[in-house]
Amino acid sequence: MTDSLKLIFGYLIFPGLIFSAMVGMIACWIDRKVTARLQYRKGPPWYQPLADILKLLGKEMIVPEGVSNAVFLAAPLFGLSAAALVALILWQGNLDRSAGFIGDLIAALYLLTIPSLAMIIGGSSSRNPLSALGASREMKLILAYELPFTIAVFTIVVKAGSIMIGGVASHTAVLSVSGLIAFLVALLAAQAKMGFVPFDIAEAEQEIMAGPLLEYSGPGLALFKLTKDILFFVLPLFLITLFLGGIEVTTVAGIILAVLKYALILVLMVLIKNTNPRLKIDQAVRFFWGPVTLLAIAGFIFAVIGW
Amino acid sequence: MLNPFKWGLKKSPWVFHLGASACNNCDIEILDCLTPKFDIERFGIVLTGSPRHADVLLVSGIVNRQSIERFKRAYDQVPKPKLVVAIGVCACSADMFRDSYNFVRPVDEIIPVDVYVPGCPPKPEAIIAGIMKALGKIK
Ligand code: SF4
């Protein structure tokens, strides 16, 4: 009984839904503020992401005419529940390194694609040509970045000799040649997973409005935004676990180190975001399947020969 | 205590720019608000591309025979609660196009308008002040 209560608490509050959403919102605000400062603007106040979500939750939800209610309304829930689950799995694997099950890394890898799948389902179910276009772009983007991302993850599996989150977290992969290469590849893929510039092709505000999210209003849109905020916590955590030796929160020094690692990834992401123009979808696919995959394979070979 | 959803609406009004058939000057002034000089993101205002995401409609221009149907449909696509700000004398009163063969009805006879921002075109400061006034109507 207490075990299942603990699990529900872990999933819904800490470190699942609420906690990861909070950290994600702070990260989202930092991102917006830094972007604004770079453009010589003042930028939004600190509570901005929270205000956005609250407002959307209080608004009317319109389901477009002729759309399947079940699919349209369930799509954002899929994404949100998967994102919160990854937060829980990663956090547990980091804190208790012997916990977890064989292959939980693979489970996390699968769960991380579900938010993108939810976008595709929602976009294609909303009966809008621009949403469909956005969904198709998202699909191509997934095909493009998943290949190098998976190779990068398996580079670390070979390097650390473990396929469990606890095992790879105890290994600071980025200090070796193969680990560094895999880190770069995974960072680019994470950028695409977040839908950040230069890979915000699916949402492309200026050309196809908001792509798959175009027809969503009110709570549905709020859930998609929340999923994105949670991913802003989960993806850096995933990268830290794989490449930077995981996090430790039992000591003060450990907490400071964890925050520094998180900040490092955040800075890299915001930097890439603010210094690049958007790619076209064909360029993105060519980029990921060409140079990035070759780099990932090279990293994998280095890992096998022990560099 | 303000209701949290209302607080959110006040702090994060996303605007959709609904050009009914403006001469494009008002539209340019609206875009001016996004520039670093005016920076409306300070107030949490974001320009959205889809009426489904919008809270505040910025209407510019006169509504003519061609655009009236689309105009009404775009208004209906905005989820409630929604606010409307009429930008420019065209949207406020039709002004010099009042006698045009193509003019149908003033904006406020087609949809409810919350705030009028006169000017031809109004200054960006006036537009921002108009949006903030509209938000003041939320109780
Ligand atoms: S109010 Fe003036 S500037 Fe604005 S649309 Fe009308 S004519 Fe153009």
Side-chain angles (χ1 to χ4, degrees):
Chain A
M1 187 60 205
T2 45
D3 264 8
S4 52
L5 267 185
K6 228 168 145 184
L7 206 61
I8 292 174
F9 176 80
Y11 181 60
L12 288 181
I13 298 169
F14 181 86
L17 206 59
I18 307 249
F19 174 73
S20 49
M22 261 159 50
V23 178
M25 278 182 202
I26 296 172
C28 178
W29 171 72
I30 293 175
D31 164 38
R32 282 173 72 171
K33 186 84 181 172
V34 170
T35 308
R37 294 305 302 157
L38 285 174
Q39 297 169 351
Y40 296 100
R41 292 189 285 124
K42 264 192 78 179
W46 63 271
Y47 49 74
Q48 196 55 54
L50 181 67
D52 289 351
I53 302 273
L54 280 178
K55 173 203 73 179
L56 286 172
L57 284 176
K59 281 191 70 112
E60 180 192 9
M61 172 130 190
I62 301 174
V63 179
E65 205 182 319
V67 166
S68 154
N69 276 350
V71 179
F72 189 76
L73 300 179
L77 282 176
F78 286 149
L80 186 67
S81 45
L85 196 56
V86 193
L88 179 62
I89 293 181
L90 279 177
W91 189 267
Q92 297 294 20
N94 262 302
L95 291 200
D96 184 358
R97 304 233 161 140
S98 54
F101 49 94
I102 305 273
D104 52 1
L105 190 60
I106 314 258
L109 206 56
Y110 269 107
L111 286 171
L112 277 177
T113 50
I114 292 187
S116 310
L117 291 183
M119 285 258 260
I120 295 175
I121 296 172
S124 18
S125 74
S126 52
R127 253 182 120 227
N128 182 312
L130 292 181
S131 299
L133 194 62
S136 105
R137 286 182 182 188
E138 179 81 37
M139 222 178 292
K140 287 170 201 143
L141 199 60
I142 293 184
L143 290 179
Y145 67 68
E146 279 300 329
L147 177 66
F149 190 58
T150 315
I151 298 177
V153 170
F154 277 92
T155 308
I156 304 309
V157 170
V158 169
K159 202 92 197 97
S162 163
I163 200 157
M164 280 169 63
I165 289 173
V168 290
S170 324
H171 180 92
T172 313
V174 81
L175 298 179
S176 61
V177 180
S178 55
L180 191 62
I181 294 177
F183 175 64
L184 288 179
V185 171
L187 187 67
L188 287 172
Q191 195 84 1
K193 257 189 199 303
M194 282 296 297
F196 277 170
V197 189
F199 307 112
D200 63 334
I201 312 159
E203 287 191 35
E205 285 278 339
Q206 295 85 351
E207 32 175 316
I208 54 171
M209 308 323 175
L213 305 182
L214 186 87
E215 288 287 342
Y216 276 94
S217 55
L221 187 61
L223 293 191
F224 271 122
K225 293 259 173 229
L226 209 56
T227 311
K228 205 156 184 196
D229 286 344
I230 292 181
L231 279 186
F232 214 161
F233 167 65
V234 168
L235 276 175
L237 186 62
F238 191 70
L239 293 183
I240 292 171
T241 311
L242 277 180
F243 303 102
L244 304 183
I247 52 171
E248 202 95 59
V249 289
T250 38
T251 57
V252 177
I255 293 179
I256 295 176
L257 203 61
V259 171
L260 283 181
K261 284 175 182 170
Y262 183 68
L264 174 73
I265 306 259
L266 211 60
V267 166
L268 285 175
M269 282 181 137
V270 175
L271 214 62
I272 299 178
K273 185 180 165 192
N274 275 305
T275 47
N276 284 286
R278 183 187 309 134
L279 293 175
K280 285 190 288 188
I281 183 70
D282 59 319
Q283 291 169 329
V285 174
R286 206 167 294 142
F287 176 66
F288 275 116
W289 280 357
V292 179
T293 301
L294 287 181
L295 199 64
I297 292 175
F300 189 76
I301 293 173
F302 285 154
V304 171
I305 60 175
W307 277 6
Chain B
M1 242 307 268
L2 199 65
N3 153 347
F5 302 131
K6 296 258 171 73
W7 174 80
L9 187 57
K10 275 193 170 187
K11 294 297 175 191
S12 144
W14 291 359
V15 298
F16 178 72
H17 171 205
L18 185 56
S21 61
C23 76
N24 211 21
N25 249 343
C26 280
D27 313 78
I28 295 203
E29 293 303 309
I30 290 172
L31 291 183
D32 264 359
C33 302
L34 299 170
T35 56
K37 183 160 185 207
F38 299 103
D39 183 26
I40 47 173
E41 207 189 0
R42 277 180 296 156
F43 308 110
I45 306 178
V46 174
L47 192 70
T48 62
S50 159
R52 296 262 194 243
H53 302 179
D55 310 297
V56 180
L57 272 182
L58 302 181
V59 181
S60 60
I62 59 156
V63 182
N64 63 25
R65 287 171 202 279
Q66 281 290 323
S67 63
I68 182 159
E69 283 310 315
R70 283 100 193 151
F71 182 77
K72 278 192 212 149
R73 204 191 306 161
Y75 176 76
D76 290 335
Q77 278 174 343
V78 180
K80 285 175 216 130
K82 52 190 163 190
L83 297 159
V84 179
V85 180
I87 308 283
V89 278
C90 276
C92 293
S93 66
D95 191 42
M96 61 186 164
F97 299 111
R98 193 174 333 119
D99 301 321
S100 162
Y101 69 95
N102 208 3
F103 167 68
V104 207
R105 258 175 295 163
V107 170
D108 56 1
E109 287 180 20
I110 306 171
I111 58 174
V113 172
D114 294 286
V115 171
Y116 300 85
V117 182
C120 182
K123 284 185 159 201
E125 289 94 330
I127 296 177
I128 298 173
I131 299 174
M132 298 324 275
K133 276 220 172 98
L135 294 177
K137 292 182 76 175
I138 303 168
K139 286 279 147 33

